[in-house]
Amino acid sequence: MIGQQRVRVDAIVRGGGALPEPPPTRTIVLWCPDWPVIAAARAAGAPPEQPFAVVSKGLVYASSASARQHGVVRGLRLREAQARCTDLVVQSYDDALDHRAFEPVIRAVEAAVPGVEVLRPGTLALRSRGPARYYGGERAAAATLAGIAADHGAPGVRAGVADTPFAAEQAARARPVRPGERVRIVPVDGSSDFLAPLPLGVLGDADLASVLDRLGITTLGAFAALRDEQVRDRFGLAGAFLHRLAGGRDPREISAREIPPELRTEASFEPALDRADQIAFAFRRSADDFAARLRAAGLVATTIRVGILDERDILLERTWTHPRWFDAADVVDRVRWQLAGGVDPTGLEAPVTSVVLEPVAVDDMANHERGLWGSGPDERVHHGLARVQGMVGHDGVVTPRIGGGRTLSERMVLVPWGDAPPADLGAVRDRPWPGKLPGPPPATVLERPRPVDVVTVDGGSVDVDDRGVLSGTPGRFRAEGDRGGGFGAVTAWAGPWPLVVRWWDAGGRRLHRLQLVDAEGRAWYLVLADHRWWAEAVAT
């Protein structure tokens, strides 16, 4: 899939696809086959003819042509790949290396034609109108730019030209019509016909392709033949967007890569400093210079990376995110907090020789200006929390986030103020989680579960047997610490629902959930663990 695009998918598909189609923007895409393998093999010094594979999370991420001849393909398990090719050279995938190795190619193409967009390492896109006029046609322009990329470290570059970025990339990836052909031109208004016979896998959504295959739809043309409202109702906005791609109606436009000014800041200490407060004080001038250069460029940094190098040549890196944007004082605080992570009273395990600061994410300063009448309340809240955090420590002020899990306590994730939530939080939250409590969620989740007593009308204790059945009908209920202190009547109840957590592990648990309503109309969410009832949440 083509990345780094700002696409208003909701606006594109709203109204059943009745919006007018945007005019086609002829696009040139340059694609270097097997770029992750090329970058990793060069870094490892492996010979070109050696079977080579890049591995990520135990699976083959990319493989060389010689490795594919032995059956080593993307998605194959590492052990199976090594069994198929005994002399296979394996290297872990390094995203930073992938980008860094491709940078000379990007700069060379940008020097020839402005307005280049990096889709991913190994793939570039640009509008064809300007280069076609300058070089005398789309084929000449694409061939020239492919030659420039090949001369600067991207061998075997192929080019595709079509009405949309998606179609142009598929044209570049398509099998050459003639041996040695490096440029594939899709005629104007011919993208839909070109894409029609391609398999659904090129859309990059395996789940969607699997569902459509079971429905008897195996090509982009068959998928594009469905009505927009049918796809939107069945597969949602993401499916509707892929449906437009399949029909040659890619709404995205090429946006040129903006090369920001050099904002990396490094401070070296000679002799090395061995106290956190000394380093933070010495780095203050560098932080001021960093903030000044950002202001001069009209930018603010919302995410930064701080690298600390000590005398042992050990580099400690951490990425920090700010809820607003970083000023010089915020940068110094992050450096101090990162230094204070050791076990030594000084906060350091070895004297520090240098501190490196670089922005990871920047934004236009205009998006963070004060309103017409100021933004006092928000600023006071931020500065108040930042000051408290400076006194009690980085983990002393936290923000709740909803995560994934089967119990309410598992779903509550506390993130330090100013830090970004974990990158996979959304994916974890959206997993099926069979056995979780269905919505709507309770109004209040207790910070600590409260012990409760559930008894029958006659006073007998209520438990759950091995078959998951209540030993008696809940009639009265008492929560420890509740006002009144005595038993109250149970007016309604439901359950129990068993929950077996990590049944294969010795540390697994078997729980039972119960919901009941007391005489005051409060709904309680109870959990039975080791024959003891606990209240986890309440709704009034």
Side-chain angles (χ1 to χ4, degrees):
M1 292 298 296
I2 296 178
Q4 301 181 3
Q5 300 281 348
R6 298 179 178 178
V7 182
R8 292 285 304 276
V9 179
D10 54 344
I12 292 168
V13 301
R14 189 180 296 122
L19 293 178
E21 297 295 334
T25 301
R26 297 289 287 177
T27 303
I28 299 175
V29 169
L30 306 179
W31 173 63
C32 179
D34 304 331
W35 175 256
V37 173
I38 294 172
R42 286 176 180 171
E49 65 278 1
Q50 179 77 28
F52 197 93
V54 179
V55 178
S56 176
K57 298 179 181 179
L59 302 176
V60 175
Y61 181 80
S63 57
S64 64
S66 57
R68 289 194 294 272
Q69 292 177 355
H70 292 82
V72 179
V73 295
R74 181 182 174 93
L76 196 67
R77 293 184 180 275
L78 176 59
R79 288 183 179 273
E80 178 65 21
Q82 292 174 329
R84 294 184 180 185
C85 182
T86 56
D87 57 345
L88 181 69
V89 177
V90 176
Q91 189 81 10
S92 297
Y93 176 65
D94 186 351
D95 182 67
L97 170 65
D98 217 8
H99 284 78
R100 187 168 59 249
F102 196 58
E103 186 64 25
V105 181
I106 301 171
R107 293 183 181 273
V109 177
E110 283 178 334
V113 178
V116 175
E117 180 180 358
V118 183
L119 305 184
R120 68 189 64 84
T123 309
L124 300 175
L126 62 154
R127 297 185 180 185
S128 69
R129 182 178 180 181
R133 287 183 174 182
Y134 184 80
Y135 290 105
E138 290 180 339
R139 184 173 297 277
T144 301
L145 296 175
I148 293 174
D151 292 341
H152 289 81
V157 170
R158 302 216 298 258
V161 185
D163 291 340
T164 65
F166 177 74
E169 181 174 357
Q170 300 311 314
R173 290 174 174 268
R175 186 184 300 274
V177 177
R178 293 181 297 273
E181 183 181 44
R182 293 197 302 171
V183 179
R184 181 75 173 269
I185 305 290
V186 177
V188 177
D189 297 331
S191 294
S192 58
D193 295 335
F194 167 75
L195 294 172
L198 298 182
L200 293 170
V202 300
L203 293 174
D205 192 325
D207 294 336
L208 176 65
S210 176
V211 172
L212 292 174
D213 183 69
R214 292 197 294 270
L215 296 175
I217 300 173
T218 58
T219 63
L220 296 187
F223 183 35
L226 300 177
R227 295 200 306 270
D228 288 351
E229 59 271 17
Q230 290 178 321
V231 177
R232 186 187 65 248
D233 294 342
R234 175 62 178 83
F235 300 106
L237 297 179
F241 175 67
L242 296 178
H243 178 245
R244 294 175 65 87
L245 293 186
R249 299 177 293 159
D250 190 345
R252 296 167 296 183
E253 295 184 357
I254 298 299
S255 58
R257 184 181 78 142
E258 297 182 2
I259 305 177
E262 180 57 47
L263 298 173
R264 184 176 182 274
T265 299
E266 181 175 0
S268 300
F269 310 119
E270 182 62 39
L273 301 180
D274 58 359
R275 295 191 62 87
D277 54 350
Q278 293 176 338
I279 297 170
F281 181 79
F283 191 72
R284 184 174 296 274
R285 178 175 295 181
S286 298
D288 290 335
D289 179 63
F290 173 76
R293 279 190 281 170
L294 280 171
R295 286 196 299 271
L299 303 172
V300 293
T302 57
T303 305
I304 61 174
R305 182 182 295 111
V306 177
I308 298 174
L309 183 67
D310 61 24
E311 284 187 334
R312 302 168 299 176
D313 287 335
I314 295 179
L315 178 65
L316 174 63
E317 281 192 339
R318 182 168 181 180
T319 301
W320 300 87
T321 302
H322 202 286
R324 185 173 53 101
W325 49 271
F326 284 96
D327 58 19
D330 294 327
V331 171
V332 174
D333 282 341
R334 269 57 177 185
V335 172
R336 178 165 52 85
W337 293 340
Q338 186 165 328
L339 289 166
V343 296
D344 191 83
T346 64
L348 304 177
E349 296 183 358
V352 172
T353 58
S354 65
V355 176
V356 178
L357 169 66
E358 57 183 344
V360 175
V362 296
D363 195 7
D364 195 320
M365 184 182 293
N367 297 332
H368 299 266
E369 291 290 350
R370 291 175 177 267
L372 185 59
W373 290 280
S375 54
D378 291 341
E379 293 296 321
R380 287 198 297 271
V381 169
H382 163 70
H383 286 300
L385 291 175
R387 183 168 182 177
V388 172
Q389 191 177 40
M391 292 186 293
V392 301
H394 178 238
D395 297 327
V397 181
V398 295
T399 304
R401 294 286 189 271
I402 298 177
R406 295 177 175 84
T407 65
L408 295 175
S409 58
E410 291 175 343
R411 298 192 66 191
M412 184 172 61
V413 179
L414 299 179
V415 180
W417 170 259
D419 280 13
D424 60 346
L425 185 63
V428 172
R429 182 176 59 245
D430 296 336
R431 289 175 184 171
W433 296 110
K436 72 176 182 180
L437 182 70
T444 304
V445 178
L446 303 177
E447 183 178 1
R448 294 184 179 85
R450 293 165 57 181
V452 299
D453 296 314
V454 182
V455 298
T456 63
V457 176
D458 299 333
S461 62
V462 176
D463 203 342
V464 179
D465 60 22
D466 293 338
R467 300 182 63 185
V469 179
L470 289 176
S471 61
T473 300
R476 292 190 296 165
F477 163 79
R478 177 178 65 184
E480 187 175 291
D482 198 13
R483 57 181 179 274
F487 282 93
V490 175
T491 60
W493 62 275
W497 300 281
L499 176 62
V500 180
V501 181
R502 299 182 67 86
W503 54 267
W504 64 89
D505 195 345
R509 297 180 298 161
R510 183 179 181 86
L511 309 175
H512 293 274
R513 285 82 54 82
L514 181 71
Q515 292 179 335
L516 58 81
V517 180
D518 62 16
E520 298 181 8
R522 295 176 297 178
W524 294 82
Y525 172 72
L526 309 181
V527 175
L528 179 68
D530 297 327
H531 306 283
R532 186 74 171 92
W533 289 102
W534 300 85
E536 278 199 354
V538 60
T540 56

